[in-house]
Amino acid sequence: MKDIYTLGIESSCDETSVAIVKNGREILSNVIDTQIPIHEKYGGVVPEIASRNHIEAISRVTKKALEEANMTLEQIDAITPTYGPGLVGALLVGLSYAKALSFAVNKPLVGVNHIQGHIAANYITYAELEPPFLCMMMSGGNTQIIYVKGYTEFEVLGKTRDDAIGEAFDKVARVVGLGYPGGPKVDKLALEGKPTIDLPKTHFENMDFSFSGIKTAVINVHHKNPEINKADLCASFEKTIVEILIENVTKAVKLTGIKTIALAGGVSANKFIREAFLNLEDIKVYMPDLKLCTDNAAMIASAGYYNYLAGKRDGLELNAIPNLKL
Ligand code: KG4
């Protein structure tokens, strides 16, 4: 069979990334231009600033991705941009650029759902992984348990009713004075602490999540006692988060009978969460390479490949959808 090369474009939040992937699994280039230092001083991503920086970066990043893969646009089979979910202005930059490329070189445009991209990060890391499996998707904007029935067929079994898990990590980090982005900093500090503080868990009949209660509890504990050991607070927060995740994932395993779980999204870089999933009995666990957990275009190019194989083609009318669902 002829090799298929997809060019992925990712600009849904604060990373401008372009990648070229062969047959959905092999990275030829994955250039990531991060804006974290720009947004750090505001304590979070400022959408308007993100859009402007994507505009400044997109041509340079694309050129570099082609150079690193030693390819020309003519050799690419499909242009596969993220078209949602994400910040609308930021998405529009990558999507408009992708449309222009597609039109200029007469290559198919194949839109990709960002969450589908996070799931696909696992296909790059594990050549043998194939659906069906369960995916625990944990990022700055999403928390979902997804039943991956096929490469382009998904059922959401549970989702957050309020904050995303990454938002909770970032908020906790801000409250205890660790800065942005908070997840990795909480992760590091928790290693020095003990989970001695009781924090609340919200339970639902189904597999939905809620993280606003635990987030507020951490804020209250810290405000009432600013001298509290921050490492212990971070360790207690992580321990409770892990219990919430494992409780729901166990329900999903029981319901579907599927015993393969893949992690996805930025929060799946968390050491404590990775360890807890690896300790699950009788479950095969996959987790993306650390560098593929956070936003990157290789995972988008991989998902784009499977959309392309499934016959998905988009026209120039494809729009950015900030709240796109799977
Ligand atoms: O998937 P991602 O890069 O962006 C979205 O698509 O949202 O996820 C970013 C989120 C941020 O909230 C960040 O704090 C969190 O992932 N994160 C972590 C870790 N590394 C990144 N959270 C906990 N532990 C980590 N090691």
Side-chain angles (χ1 to χ4, degrees):
M1 210 173 88
K2 176 192 172 302
D3 289 327
I4 304 285
Y5 298 92
T6 47
L7 184 143
I9 299 185
E10 160 60 31
S11 69
S12 65
C13 191
D14 58 349
E15 261 95 30
T16 320
S17 180
V18 178
I20 295 164
V21 167
K22 182 176 165 185
N23 298 329
R25 301 263 178 173
E26 189 188 329
I27 298 179
L28 302 188
S29 62
N30 186 21
V31 182
I32 306 170
D33 190 284
T34 182
Q35 301 178 14
I36 287 178
I38 297 170
H39 298 281
E40 219 164 14
K41 55 179 173 290
Y42 305 102
V45 178
V46 183
E48 177 62 21
I49 296 177
S51 313
R52 284 167 190 265
N53 281 284
H54 284 307
I55 294 173
E56 188 274 319
I58 189 84
S59 297
R60 170 170 39 85
V61 172
T62 306
K63 194 164 170 249
K64 201 164 166 215
L66 285 162
E67 272 168 15
E68 283 185 14
N70 201 16
M71 291 189 82
T72 63
L73 278 172
E74 284 67 30
Q75 293 170 293
I76 300 292
D77 293 282
I79 313 284
T80 69
T82 303
Y83 71 107
L87 302 170
V88 71
L91 286 165
L92 277 170
V93 177
L95 178 58
S96 307
Y97 195 81
K99 286 185 197 176
L101 284 185
S102 155
F103 186 71
V105 292
N106 196 23
K107 300 286 178 181
L109 178 74
V110 181
V112 174
N113 181 312
H114 182 78
I115 298 171
Q116 191 196 349
H118 275 298
I119 298 169
N122 284 285
Y123 299 137
I124 299 173
T125 309
Y126 302 100
E128 75 281 11
L129 178 64
E130 286 176 9
F133 56 87
L134 295 172
C135 177
M136 185 66 246
M137 165 72 206
M138 304 170 283
S139 74
N142 289 280
T143 314
Q144 300 178 353
I145 300 183
I146 302 158
Y147 183 4
V148 182
K149 296 179 170 175
Y151 286 106
T152 56
E153 196 191 342
F154 311 95
E155 183 184 342
V156 177
L157 301 177
K159 58 183 183 312
T160 181
R161 295 195 181 180
D162 40 53
D163 299 338
I165 186 170
E167 271 178 272
F169 267 96
D170 292 339
K171 184 71 188 186
V172 165
R174 204 179 315 161
V175 169
V176 300
L178 296 178
Y180 173 85
K185 291 174 179 150
V186 172
D187 194 3
K188 199 161 164 231
L189 188 58
L191 290 176
E192 298 165 22
K194 289 199 180 65
T196 50
I197 303 154
D198 260 349
L199 294 168
K201 282 183 264 178
T202 314
H203 304 271
F204 298 106
E205 280 286 303
N206 62 9
M207 285 161 266
D208 280 354
F209 298 93
S210 164
F211 296 106
S212 71
I214 181 173
K215 184 186 80 180
T216 311
V218 172
I219 296 171
N220 289 342
V221 168
H222 186 258
H223 281 173
K224 277 190 199 136
N225 181 6
E227 302 304 312
I228 200 159
N229 183 311
K230 289 178 184 177
D232 287 351
L233 192 52
C234 288
S236 308
F237 171 73
E238 285 198 345
K239 175 179 169 275
T240 315
I241 286 277
V242 159
E243 286 168 3
I244 297 170
L245 294 173
I246 298 293
E247 185 182 312
N248 274 357
V249 158
T250 308
K251 281 188 201 167
V253 170
K254 275 201 187 119
L255 179 84
T256 59
I258 302 278
K259 295 190 169 184
T260 306
I261 302 175
L263 307 188
V267 180
S268 52
N270 185 273
K271 291 187 200 68
F272 199 66
I273 296 176
R274 290 172 93 94
E275 202 181 296
F277 274 84
L278 284 175
N279 284 337
L280 284 174
E281 250 174 55
D282 196 26
I283 301 283
K284 177 101 182 98
V285 176
Y286 292 90
M287 37 191 74
D289 264 354
L290 283 177
K291 62 178 187 307
L292 295 175
C293 283
T294 45
D295 290 351
N296 67 88
M299 66 185 198
I300 302 299
S302 170
Y305 166 80
Y306 289 105
N307 285 351
Y308 176 82
L309 283 195
K312 184 177 192 292
R313 302 289 183 271
D314 289 297
L316 294 181
E317 71 287 350
L318 181 68
N319 207 352
I321 307 180
N323 60 353
L324 183 67
K325 303 278 179 290
L326 255 189

